[in-house]
Amino acid sequence: GSAGAISVTGDTVRVAGRRECQLRRAAATATFAVWEQIRTALVAAQVTVDRRLITSFVGYERALDNRGERVMRQATSLRSGVAGVPWRSIPIDSLTAVGYAVTEPNGVTTYFAPDLSVLVSDRFIAEHCLRLVAEDQRIGIAFDPTRNRRNVPEIEGTIWIDRVSKALRSLDFKYVNVSRHEETLGGGHVEFARLPDGGGLVTRWKIRVPEVLTRYGAGGALREGNQVAGRVVREVHETGGLLSLVRSGSDTLWSNPALFIAGSVVDSMGRAVPGARVSLRGSGVPT
């Protein structure tokens, strides 16, 4: 059958074509029922993007230490504009050919994340095995690449929906079939919200990738014949954002709950400083 089709043999269900995943009939039925709910919600989010709603959001870029734990540098900006998706993936056919991480001859690696059009494509399903997962308040589909994709940089992760409302909740993914550093430190997290009319929005997102350096022996010069001493992580780069407001004309369709910071300003002796003014670093907003 064609890629993405479901065929039944005995008590197992498998996706035909290039898929190499097998599920028991009951598990397959439940898995694909949930996947159709997720796909419907993803399509609704795509339609929302096409409505060209006006949004306000905080975007940031930061560099973390080589463990991805401590922020070393950060730049933050407040932005407004037509609603879109936080990133655009390359076409699914290109992802099939080159994978989700491409290293140029100069050693620079470009990482790709799946946008909505990739996640709802038949090709994505044909190249990933699906598995049903559940928690108290949410259910989801975990996905990982098929065995015939093991030599291509790929992603694995989970898409979650609310157990009751079936609204999209979040997407988590990481890079696989890459170096140990990239698998451990690279990946992304996306959160969604549902509009009153049923549309979907990306409300929070972040993507992390490590900056990996190659250490050479024999003096460290990059010349042929040097013995490679190993690859190390210099730092971890993170790009992300937080949606604050969505409008259609003068109507507010969605707003993020306000964030509050409380505290006090003291001098070097621990005494309160009356009348002090502070600002959130990187936002340019005095408080």
Side-chain angles (χ1 to χ4, degrees), residues 53 119 164 187 189 201 228 244 255:
L53 302 174
L119 294 172
V164 177
H189 173 75
L201 290 168
V228 177
S244 60
S255 61

Side-chain angles (χ1 to χ4, degrees), residues 53-226:
L53 302 174
I54 302 301
T55 65
S56 298
F57 64 95
V58 178
Y60 69 86
E61 294 185 5
R62 59 172 60 136
L64 300 97
D65 63 16
N66 60 6
R67 295 177 178 269
E69 297 174 350
R70 185 163 61 95
V71 176
M72 310 295 290
R73 304 183 305 278
Q74 176 170 295
T76 307
S77 61
L78 302 176
R79 307 176 192 174
S80 296
V82 176
V85 290
W87 61 87
R88 292 282 185 184
S89 174
I90 60 176
I92 186 65
D93 289 346
S94 298
L95 289 173
T96 295
V98 302
Y100 289 78
V102 178
T103 302
E104 305 294 339
N106 62 3
V108 175
T109 300
T110 301
Y111 299 87
F112 301 107
D115 63 15
L116 297 175
S117 65
V118 168
L119 294 172
V120 301
S121 68
D122 291 338
R123 181 68 66 84
F124 183 83
I125 299 305
E127 295 173 347
H128 294 85
C129 297
L130 306 182
R131 177 171 49 87
L132 182 64
V133 291
E135 293 183 350
D136 289 342
Q137 302 298 321
R138 60 182 187 170
I139 55 176
I141 294 295
F143 59 87
D144 57 271
T146 55
R147 286 176 296 177
N148 62 346
R149 299 282 294 169
R150 61 182 176 271
N151 295 321
V152 180
E154 263 284 357
I155 58 170
E156 68 177 31
T158 306
I159 306 177
W160 294 96
I161 60 174
D162 186 89
R163 182 183 288 272
V164 177
S165 70
K166 305 303 186 291
L168 277 174
R169 293 282 295 272
S170 62
L171 160 68
D172 294 284
F173 70 90
K174 71 173 187 175
Y175 296 96
V176 294
N177 305 337
V178 289
S179 72
R180 177 176 57 85
H181 299 304
E182 292 166 313
E183 286 198 4
T184 302
L185 297 171
H189 173 75
V190 183
E191 296 179 14
F192 301 89
R194 177 187 282 176
L195 293 176
D197 62 6
L201 290 168
V202 174
T203 59
R204 185 190 296 264
W205 64 94
K206 66 178 180 181
I207 299 176
R208 284 187 174 189
V209 295
E211 181 181 344
V212 182
L213 303 177
T214 302
R215 284 184 174 170
Y216 288 80
L222 300 179
R223 62 174 184 269
E224 187 176 357
N226 276 356

